Amino acid sequence: MKPGIHPAYRPVVFRDRAADFAFLTRSTATSDKTVEWEDGNTYPVIDVEISSASHPFYTGTQRVLDTAGRVERFERRYGRSRSKQ
């Protein structure tokens, strides 16, 4: 790799304010805000709108869609009638 052209890769805290959840990882993302982490060190913090702590798929609150009904409705509207098969 060429030296001097890549952004700094360092520890960064990502914080989900909606779920009051934060995690420390490494990233090239930058921020002017900082936060003191559990280990006593200060890291840049990036606030995100959604994370695994608040996303419906990971929390188990997602809705189950009736895919069979949706396929039948699509076929009924846009072709492939059952009498032609």
Side-chain angles (χ1 to χ4, degrees):
M1 292 192 309
K2 290 184 179 180
I5 63 168
H6 300 286
Y9 186 65
R10 64 180 186 275
V12 176
V13 174
F14 287 91
R15 180 173 53 191
D16 182 354
R17 292 239 183 214
D20 195 28
F21 176 71
F23 58 94
L24 177 66
T25 187
R26 294 181 55 87
S27 176
T28 60
T30 60
S31 176
D32 295 333
K33 299 180 200 173
T34 60
V35 67
E36 186 173 333
W37 192 243
E38 300 160 353
D39 61 3
N41 294 328
T42 302
Y43 298 106
V45 63
I46 297 178
D47 292 324
V48 295
E49 293 183 20
I50 196 159
S51 70
S52 61
S54 61
H55 193 280
F57 178 79
Y58 295 106
T59 59
T61 58
Q62 78 179 38
R63 298 180 318 177
V64 177
L65 296 176
D66 178 22
T67 56
R70 294 179 76 183
V71 170
E72 291 171 1
R73 187 173 23 179
F74 177 84
E75 289 177 351
R76 191 172 48 239
R77 283 184 187 169
Y78 300 109
R80 221 177 96 172
S81 74
R82 298 197 184 267
S83 61
K84 292 180 182 177
Q85 293 181 359

